[in-house]
Amino acid sequence: MKKTFALALGGGGARGLAHIAVLEALDEMRIRPAAIAGTSIGSWIGAAYAAGMSAREIRRFVITLAHDRAEIFRRLIATRAGTFANLLNLGFGSATLIDAEKFCEQFLPDKVPDDFAALEIPLTIIATDLYRRQQVVFSSGALKPALAASIALPALMRPVVIADRILIDGGASNPLPFEELRGCADIVLAVDISGAPTDERRDIPNPWECLLATVLVMANAITAEKVKHGGPDLIVRPNVGAFRALDFLQASAIVRAAEPVKAELKEKVAALLEG
C-alpha cells in the first residue's frame, strides 16, 4: 500500500508564491496531501489548495492579479484599517495599517470557503498570540479570520482579535509548522521559503523591507532550532532568496525561480512514498 504524506507550507512574504511550484509538482505526480499546515502566506496558498483549486489555477489567479497594478491598488485601498475618525485618537500611523480581515475579503480566491469544514483537505493554520507569546492553532470553525490572523504582520497589518486573543502573524512563533502534521500521514514534507543567506547583496532596504527581512532572519533561526530536535522527512527550499518579502508584483519571476525544485521534489517524494 502506498504511503501517505502531509504538507507544511512556511511563511516568507512574496517568496511564499514559490509554494505554487511545489504544488504543481504534486499535481503532475497526481498525488494529494492527506493534510496541510501553513503559516502566513503558506496558510493562504494551503487554503486555496485545500479548497480544491489546482496549482495551475492558483498560479493563474496570482499572476493575473499581479499584472494588474491598478486593480491591486484599488483592492488595497479597500483594506485600510484607518479612518478619518480614528486619526485623531490613534495617530496617522493607524491610517496606513491594513485590516487583515478586509485583506482576505479582497485578495482570497472566491473558491476559498468560509469554514474549515468545507475544505477538501484538512488544514491547520498557525497564528501567534501577541501577549501570551505562544502559537495559536486553528483547524476548525471560521476559516477566514484564522487566515487573517496568520498573515497579520505587525506594523503592516492590524492584529486580529479572535475570542479575546490578540493575534499576529504565525511566523513570529512557528514559521514552518511541520510538527503539527505528525500522525496525520506516513511522510511529512515541508517547504521552507525563508531564503538562503547571501554575501552578494549590499543594497539598503526601505523600512518596511528591513522589518520583513528581520522577521525572516528570526524565522530562519526558529526553524533551524526546531529541525535540530526532529525535522520533517523532507524539507525542500526553492531558490527564491533573491526576492524581497514584498515583491508580490514579481509573482511570475518568483514562481519561475522556484520551478527547478520540482525535479528534486518529485524524485525524493516518490522515493519516500514507495520506500
Side-chain angles (χ1 to χ4, degrees):
M1 183 175 177
K2 199 167 189 178
K3 294 180 179 178
T4 59
F5 76 100
L7 179 65
L9 302 176
R15 295 173 182 174
L17 299 178
H19 291 316
I20 295 171
V22 170
L23 299 181
E24 286 178 340
L26 300 180
D27 283 354
E28 289 163 14
M29 295 177 71
R30 299 176 184 256
I31 58 175
R32 299 276 278 177
I36 300 172
T39 292
S40 199
I41 191 168
S43 71
W44 270 55
I45 301 292
Y49 199 59
M53 293 181 71
S54 69
R56 185 180 294 272
E57 287 174 319
I58 298 171
R59 181 197 277 242
R60 188 181 304 117
F61 174 84
V62 167
I63 291 177
T64 299
L65 189 56
H67 288 175
D68 190 343
R69 298 192 179 201
E71 179 63 14
I72 289 176
F73 184 74
R74 184 194 70 76
R75 296 190 191 198
L76 281 174
I77 289 296
T79 69
R80 284 190 305 167
T83 64
F84 289 111
N86 65 24
L87 277 178
L88 296 177
N89 296 324
L90 302 177
F92 282 92
S94 66
T96 64
L97 284 176
I98 291 172
D99 183 312
E101 293 181 86
K102 289 181 180 178
F103 191 88
C104 285
E105 293 172 8
Q106 292 294 323
F107 287 98
L108 273 175
D110 291 338
K111 195 165 183 178
V112 176
D114 292 328
D115 198 281
F116 279 90
L119 295 170
E120 295 182 6
I121 300 172
L123 176 67
T124 297
I125 290 174
I126 305 298
T128 300
D129 187 314
L130 179 62
Y131 295 119
R132 292 184 176 91
R133 301 181 184 178
Q134 59 188 212
Q135 75 169 19
V136 179
V137 178
F138 295 98
S139 57
S140 62
L143 174 60
K144 291 177 180 176
L147 287 170
S150 188
I151 64 165
L153 188 72
L156 185 63
M157 291 188 175
R158 187 169 64 183
V160 175
V161 181
I162 299 178
D164 293 328
R165 305 180 85 170
I166 310 302
L167 305 180
I168 61 170
D169 194 291
S173 56
N174 193 349
L176 188 59
F178 53 82
E179 74 285 355
E180 297 298 327
L181 295 169
R182 292 196 176 111
C184 296
D186 301 309
I187 303 296
V188 176
L189 162 65
V191 187
D192 180 6
I193 40 81
S194 59
T198 178
D199 293 325
E200 299 174 4
R201 294 187 64 168
R202 296 290 185 272
D203 55 305
I204 297 177
N206 65 43
W208 292 119
E209 289 289 355
C210 192
L211 170 66
L212 290 169
T214 302
V215 170
L216 290 178
V217 170
M218 294 187 291
N220 196 270
I222 292 170
T223 298
E225 193 62 28
K226 288 203 308 170
V227 169
K228 286 181 185 177
H229 297 281
D233 298 284
L234 175 62
I235 298 181
V236 293
R237 294 183 170 91
N239 186 21
V240 291
F243 296 95
R244 291 181 170 179
L246 291 180
D247 277 344
F248 286 99
L249 296 179
Q250 301 296 319
S252 295
I254 293 171
V255 179
R256 281 198 306 270
E259 285 179 346
V261 82
K262 292 166 72 171
E264 171 198 355
L265 179 105
K266 289 179 181 179
E267 180 182 352
K268 293 183 175 179
V269 169
L272 286 169
L273 293 179
E274 294 169 5

